Amino acid sequence: MFEFIRTNQMNIMFILSVACMTIAILLLITDFISKRRKWILIMMELTATFLLYFDRMAYVYSGKPEGVGYVMSRVSNFAVFFLTSVIVWVFNRYLRDLLQVEGKVEKIPKRVQFVNVASIMGMIMVVISQFTHWYYSIDDNNIYHRGPLFLLCYVVPVICPLVQYTVVHEYRKSFGKLIYTALSLYIFVPIVVAIIQIFAYGISIVNMAMVIVSILMYVFAHLDINQTVKCAHKLEMNELQEEKKSMKRLFNQTATAFVIAVEKRDAYAEGHAERAADYARKLAVMLGKNEEQADEVYYAALLHDVGMIAIPDSLIGRKDNLTEEELAIQKNRPIISGEILANIKEYPYLREAALYCHERYDGTGYPTGMKGKTIPEIARIIAVADAFDSMTSQKQYRDALPYLIVREEFIKEAGSRFDPDIADLMVQLMDREHTHEEQSEVHQLQDHLSCNEYREEVTVGIPLGTEAIQIMFTCKPKNTATGQFSSPSIILFDSYDRQVHDNQKAIEAYHYVEYGEIWFDGHYVSTSARNIEVNVTENHADPSEYGAEQYIVSGGRFEDHVSITMTSAKYTVDIIIALPDKSKASYIGLTGEHCELEQISVELTGVHVTEGEIKKIVEAINYIDRMESDIPNVQIDRPRIASTEGIPVKEDLHVAFHTMSLPSASHMWQCPYIILFYSDDGRVNGKGYEEYVLLKLNGEETGGEDYAENKFIMKKSEDFPGWEQWKEINKVGMESAFDVMRKGNHVTISTNNLGIYMENTTIMKDASKPVYVALTGDQVALTDIRIRNR
């Protein structure tokens, strides 16, 4: 290393000098550093430049006593020794500035003042040494020699920086990490090199080191400024973000307050705008919108119906039996909303959304009759969200519609009233939230029921399934006239909302079916059950065994048969009920007459009802007693409760079959489904089951995202008869078919039934496993299944 430096010393010195001078020039035109610090740094860079320049000149003119050589040798050596102390003094000025500006130090430490004095003394000693030759001497041949007090010249460049470091270390928290690093290097690198210099005669590594650390001082100062600017920019951006959030909160609060004030005019509308806005935001996210775009959709939905403020009180909440004039006023509402929101010029999308959210996808909407994708997307999103909340909320003219009715409405109206893509997302969102509610919702069963007239009060329905339940409660007569009948009883029923209904509109809306009513003495009324068998046993045990007022109802279900045991102090009543078919749900509602039911509780027993445990009192209704072809027929009474065996997809297939929706089917998705899957045994839900896609012949698709990617297309042709006729044809029965084509890990399924064309390409993540296709469905009978290789 030393030999390399000694050999190339002149070139290294020249390069470093030029670099240092360049930095001094750059500093001269720099604006991001304070004026005082800039000139201190320029002094540091110039001092380092001249230090190395004169050191180089000393070597160049060494041994050249004639003329210029004589003068330059003496001037250069003097400058080197003198500037060594100068650079310590200039650095001290830099440190002092840092303490005053960054450190906010009012009283500069005495150590800094000591260094200031010491460095000046060092300069004076260099001048004196010119006459005493204490540091060095130059002989007649112009050759440099160390003097007797040579080591004394290192006191200032070694001791003073150490003193300076004690100050730097003490105030290190006042500096940035980069500046602290630069100061430490500036102090210690020359000291270490100076010690080495004592033993490395003939090379100027100290001066080279001084120039290098001077350059680094500029570099680190520049980096520190950059870091400071970045921090300031980040702080400024944070402040802007906070200000933006604050403005957003203010806008949100103002908009919400305005909407609440408008909705106060209709008790049934309160909260509608905010709920619709929440659903609109969810749909926007599902469409791939970013946070800012989703917020725009939210606020547009929140304010979309502010025109209601101009509607006469007599029309608020009314929908039916409107005169032409009243209907025209209602249809003018989006125009009024648009005019109000047009004043918010910063957000033009608010007006656009409010004005067009009542347009229909088929062009029959208002106010302009826009059609299809020409309707602004934000308006199409809000139309779906607004309709969903309207349908699922109670209105002046009707109760909230149940999930299944709303779901069917969106499927029916996709492509006519609603954008089909957004309607499909709404169905997906409904299914996801409904499934979550089913899994997590704890239905609050009343623990107390006060019954006057019979069926005046009925509990929410308690579901009967294959896991047996036990219901317990106490009952006491109410304070009634002597001889007035008093007793609890149960109602067995099915309803979308798990409530007992007597109103004809509610019965139709919630598809309410009542199977029968049963009392604790064995009396019963059969309504829609196919058969009821009752066995009553008198209890001869001490009534206190149960408690005089203790009642227990236990029961379970297997397929279309329900078994219930009702126990009181007097009787044990065993009941078997044959339901209309396997597709129906069954709930128990507790009620009574002139009695108080208290301490009502329900628990699952953990005991599962299996085949044969409930006596069959009627034969199961069979809709598949028809011709069988390549694989057995299958009847599916409830969603996916059964399926065909898996058909291996090794080559292209054509599958044809006869389908018939069961008489109990009422929705368009109660039809055949096609499943593409893998399992170890080739059966749906078998060991190691992986589902790639499920296609419903009514045009719905559910992809198994964990195992495959699906690309789905659905179109309705001119042959589509409309949903009501589509359902009727399915109930009568018809021929259906689908094709399966496989190429590597791509499997394409296509089908065209009653004008609904579907094509789905599944791209499997793991193509090494065998693939199967099977048929299943909901409330459908599949027969005469034929498989052909294409």
Side-chain angles (χ1 to χ4, degrees), residues 470-476 488 520 539 543-553 566-571 598-601:
Q470 187 174 75
I471 308 166
M472 293 179 287
F473 62 93
T474 60
C475 180
K476 61 183 180 182
F520 279 81
N539 291 327
S544 63
E545 180 179 342
Y546 297 100
E549 300 174 342
Q550 181 74 46
Y551 291 82
I552 301 174
V553 180
M566 302 168 62
T567 306
S568 66
K570 293 182 180 180
Y571 303 103
E598 298 176 331
Q599 301 177 32
I600 304 171
S601 65

Side-chain angles (χ1 to χ4, degrees), residues 60 85 176 335 646:
V60 169
S85 293
I335 297 174

Side-chain angles (χ1 to χ4, degrees), residues 96-108:
R96 187 187 185 97
D97 184 67
L98 286 173
L99 290 171
Q100 290 175 332
V101 178
E102 270 79 0
K104 308 296 182 185
V105 177
E106 294 181 3
K107 188 176 181 181
I108 301 300

